[in-house]
Amino acid sequence: MSLRSISFAVFLVFLALLPQLPVPEFWITQANYIGLYTLVVIGLVLLTGVAGLTSFGQAAFVGLGAYTAAYLTLTFGVSPWLTVWAGLAFTGCVALLLGWLTLRMSGHYLPLATIAWGLSLYYLLGNIDALGKYDGLLGVPAIQFFGVALNTGRSFFYLLWTLVILAIVAVTHLLDSRTGRALRAVKGGTTMAEAMGVDGFRIKVMAFVLAALLASVSGWLFAHFQRTVNPSPFGLKMGIEYLFMAVLGGVGHVWGALVGAGVVKILEDQLQVLLPKLLGSSGNFEIIVFGVILVLVLQYARDGLWAFVEARLPKVNRKVDWQNAAPLSERARPPRGEVVLDVQAVRKEFGGLVAVNDVTFQVRAGEILGLIGPNGAGKSTTFNLVTGVLPATRGEVKFLGQRIEALPSREIAKRGVSRTFQHVKMVPGMTVLENVALGGHLRGSQGVLASMLRLDREEERRLLREAERQLVRIGMGDRIHELAGNLALGPQRLMEIARALCADPALLLLDEPAAGLRHQEKQALMAVLRQLRGEGLSILLVEHDMDLVMEVTDRIVVMEFGTKLMEGTPADVQASPAVRAAYLGTEH
Ligand code: ADP
Ligand code: MG
């Protein structure tokens, strides 16, 4: 058994024994609050830590769960075992609507929207007569579990912590899956994820709803634990506190949620006793201390407290269990010589700048087409037009006979176009293997629930086997367990190529793949490109290393100032005075 599983087992035993020990009731109550908070903060780990979306509104979702439970039980006598589902359904719908409205917009819109949402729910709850206004609903009954009333802190403890552990396990599973990789990939921009076929908007909404559902369960438990609900624990102050717990514990780690919730809850109580003694009067001084701590954490320990624990745990490589998995099915490749990509008079203007000026070229199956030109010639922009990252101002792009210029990039990826980026885009905190498996996103289909329940393992093995196969092919078979962020630039580029290949494309677009590569790596890259061409793949290659371009391409398109200067074989291009002039920057 590994140290991690031993620690987990010890933790479970500790939880099972705690209520049986002569621990003062105060500490059982504390532990229960920590559990309630942990559920909410796990959602924030997914949302903020993993997907990069900041929410101050989680307390409001807790409120929806709590009020639904309290209202239905008190008014209609509905069993708590049913109200929890009602709360989940209601919270899920509200979160879906809010997410759908706000997640399309970028940057700071979501945090602001969640603040507005957190504030308005608080005032709404406080003004509804049926919900007891600011006094709330009193006398919520205890949950009955097979005839036993969970009306003591100790009996409630077991139900609560069972759910907390289930949530921790489910979210840990989710993060280690096809969906989890996609979720990590949308942090800080969806361009790369979309190029791998991930629906960035959808996956963000999914994370938002999931986080809201966890909060809702916490609210249900809260209502039956406190036996009363009123608006104050569901306001903006608590929303900020949840986020504080997540940041303090470590937004990227599921266990960080537990650490953050635990430290904040215990600290808060101690400070509430200590600070008035020190300062001689009472007030919410702990808020000031929390603010100072938050600044310190952000300054000196950006990854939160759990990162310190994590760094001291022995690093375990993922167990290689995919060697015997069935290979993934492969796309039928177009016959050699057929036109795969047909770019007709495509144009891109950025304000007054014409970055791509009515450029026309074709790529055929089993051919490597070089796209060269001085810096700023419009090569990367052409890539972005072909892959749907940017909309064309006008012109036509056809892939295997179908128009694609108006499609979003994930649709283009689905049709068989895969690419790398001039500036490497990856998930630095994932291993090389996981980054490459992200390229296989469209070749899998298992979703959130299957991942949480681990019903996705067979497909996962097939995906990882494919990812490893592509890494071996590109000469990185011995680095699969390394963190992508720790690689040098050259290997990062190779990893991107493996990721693009993992998508089983018919057309591969490589934007300066050899930049930062050493001589031997370049030789290996050339060998791989030739091999891929031999397999019938079409490649569009942007590259500044002229030796490589001349050696490996079949034809070359030369661009200058957005315009196509010439097209021909490597020999034609080398002999052209116009091309030489363009590179030397002289008039021709
Ligand atoms: P290359 O890849 O050939 O070096 P690019 O396609 O990156 O060239 O850029 C072509 C021109 O378009 C450059 O002048 C660049 O400054 C401009 N450009 C590229 N992207 C943008 C953008 N998003 N907004 C405005 N101008 C851009
Ligand atoms: Mg470029």
Side-chain angles (χ1 to χ4, degrees):
M1 262 210 319
S2 72
L3 180 66
R4 274 162 203 264
S5 25
I6 293 172
S7 318
F8 187 48
V10 168
F11 179 62
L12 289 185
V13 171
F14 166 76
L15 284 181
L17 291 181
L18 186 67
Q20 310 298 329
L21 302 174
V23 183
E25 194 61 30
F26 171 78
W27 287 103
I28 299 292
T29 308
Q30 291 293 78
N32 282 336
Y33 276 112
I34 291 170
L36 289 170
Y37 296 164
T38 302
L39 274 176
V40 185
V41 182
I42 292 171
L44 273 177
V45 165
L46 266 183
L47 194 63
T48 306
V50 177
L53 304 166
T54 307
S55 168
F56 293 98
Q58 295 315 103
F61 291 122
V62 180
L64 286 188
Y67 267 92
T68 307
Y71 182 73
L72 291 180
T73 303
L74 289 172
T75 314
F76 303 106
V78 183
S79 153
W81 298 106
L82 294 177
T83 60
V84 62
W85 297 105
L88 284 170
F90 185 42
T91 314
C93 289
V94 173
L96 200 61
L97 186 71
L98 275 175
W100 191 79
L101 287 175
T102 54
L103 289 167
R104 263 180 218 282
M105 286 166 244
S106 58
H108 304 298
Y109 201 83
L110 180 75
L112 290 178
T114 57
I115 289 175
W117 147 245
L119 278 174
S120 46
L121 189 88
Y122 174 78
Y123 290 112
L124 185 69
L125 291 173
N127 283 295
I128 296 180
D129 277 323
L131 299 179
K133 296 199 162 178
Y134 286 102
D135 295 331
L137 300 169
L138 309 172
V140 180
I143 295 174
Q144 302 280 328
F145 188 72
F146 289 107
V148 181
L150 306 183
N151 54 3
T152 63
R154 283 167 205 266
S155 55
F156 184 80
F157 180 96
Y158 285 111
L159 171 66
L160 167 64
W161 280 93
T162 303
L163 292 176
V164 173
I165 293 297
L166 284 177
I168 287 178
V169 170
V171 171
T172 306
H173 285 173
L174 177 65
L175 288 179
D176 173 32
S177 75
R178 171 179 175 268
T179 313
R181 286 189 291 272
L183 195 57
R184 285 169 197 259
V186 299
K187 189 173 183 174
T190 54
T191 306
M192 184 271 283
E194 294 267 341
M196 299 301 127
V198 174
D199 188 336
F201 173 65
R202 217 180 114 165
I203 202 139
K204 284 181 189 174
V205 172
M206 184 279 291
F208 192 67
V209 171
L210 207 58
L213 294 181
L214 284 165
S216 180
V217 173
S218 175
W220 171 70
L221 288 162
F222 188 90
H224 293 283
F225 175 57
Q226 291 232 321
R227 314 286 293 275
T228 150
V229 295
N230 64 62
S232 57
F234 312 127
L236 187 60
K237 174 175 173 281
M238 201 57 209
I240 294 172
E241 235 170 88
Y242 283 128
L243 198 59
F244 176 55
M245 293 176 202
V247 173
L248 184 71
V251 276
H253 304 275
V254 176
W255 288 101
L258 179 63
V259 173
V263 170
V264 171
K265 179 65 192 157
I266 292 171
L267 206 62
E268 186 172 41
D269 286 315
Q270 301 305 315
L271 289 177
Q272 271 169 358
V273 179
L274 193 68
L275 289 181
K277 279 189 201 155
L278 287 179
L279 300 170
S281 64
S282 60
N284 283 344
F285 296 121
E286 72 276 6
I287 296 292
I288 298 167
V289 177
F290 281 176
V292 173
I293 294 177
L294 188 60
V295 170
L296 290 177
V297 166
L298 291 177
Q299 195 70 31
Y300 297 106
R302 290 213 135 225
D303 297 327
L305 296 175
W306 182 255
F308 286 105
V309 183
E310 184 84 24
R312 274 150 194 81
L313 291 175
K315 188 179 171 314
V316 276
N317 287 340
R318 180 186 213 111
K319 201 167 135 259
V320 178
D321 60 354
W322 55 78
Q323 268 144 348
N324 298 321
L328 294 169
S329 57
E330 286 178 14
R331 191 187 302 277
R333 293 255 166 83
R336 192 171 292 274
E338 190 179 302
V339 175
V340 174
L341 181 71
D342 188 4
V343 177
Q344 288 293 335
V346 85
R347 185 181 188 84
K348 181 67 190 179
E349 294 170 7
F350 293 112
L353 177 87
V354 183
V356 177
N357 186 4
D358 300 336
V359 167
T360 297
F361 64 88
Q362 296 181 328
V363 186
R364 292 172 184 277
E367 168 183 61
I368 302 183
L369 180 73
L371 184 60
I372 65 170
N375 271 327
K379 307 176 300 289
S380 294
T381 306
T382 304
F383 263 37
N384 288 337
L385 297 177
V386 169
T387 54
V389 171
L390 291 171
T393 307
R394 62 167 189 255
E396 227 177 72
V397 184
K398 278 191 194 151
F399 179 68
L400 295 173
Q402 289 179 320
R403 299 274 293 262
I404 57 168
E405 75 273 358
L407 296 177
S409 63
R410 62 172 180 282
E411 288 299 326
I412 297 174
K414 217 175 267 176
R415 284 164 163 72
V417 180
S418 200
R419 67 171 294 180
T420 65
F421 294 86
Q422 181 178 347
H423 304 287
V424 174
K425 292 185 194 295
M426 55 172 184
V427 186
M430 288 201 314
T431 63
V432 171
L433 184 75
E434 289 169 317
N435 269 281
V436 173
L438 185 61
H441 186 80
L442 289 171
R443 300 171 82 184
S445 60
Q446 299 287 352
V448 177
L449 207 59
S451 317
M452 286 183 159
L453 300 172
R454 288 262 128 145
L455 300 174
D456 63 337
R457 290 297 98 180
E458 184 53 37
E459 179 185 283
E460 181 74 359
R461 274 191 288 276
R462 297 177 72 184
L463 284 171
L464 294 180
R465 178 179 182 273
E466 176 70 5
E468 187 185 24
R469 193 171 75 92
Q470 299 299 352
L471 278 161
V472 168
R473 158 186 254 176
I474 208 88
M476 287 186 63
D478 53 346
R479 310 191 73 172
I480 61 172
H481 297 300
E482 285 180 44
L483 283 187
N486 292 347
L487 297 180
L489 186 60
Q492 282 181 357
R493 288 194 182 283
L494 294 176
M495 178 184 77
E496 271 209 326
I497 298 173
R499 184 180 69 199
L501 289 174
C502 201
D504 184 31
L507 173 66
L508 179 64
L509 292 90
L510 303 175
D511 201 346
E512 304 197 16
L517 258 56
R518 284 177 289 181
H519 181 70
Q520 277 189 340
E521 290 169 330
K522 275 185 196 168
Q523 297 298 319
L525 175 64
M526 275 197 266
V528 172
L529 295 183
R530 290 199 184 100
Q531 188 199 345
L532 291 170
R533 172 175 53 193
E535 292 170 15
L537 194 73
S538 315
I539 302 174
L540 183 58
L541 174 71
V542 167
E543 184 48 61
H544 281 301
D545 184 318
M546 281 307 137
D547 293 338
L548 188 146
V549 173
M550 295 301 162
E551 257 189 68
V552 86
T553 57
D554 299 296
R555 284 185 309 127
I556 297 174
V557 168
V558 187
M559 287 179 79
E560 188 193 19
F561 301 125
T563 310
K564 183 163 120 182
L565 197 60
M566 76 165 291
E567 178 177 340
T569 64
D572 296 341
V573 169
Q574 264 171 319
S576 161
V579 172
R580 198 159 304 156
Y583 271 89
L584 293 175
T586 51
E587 278 302 320
H588 49 269

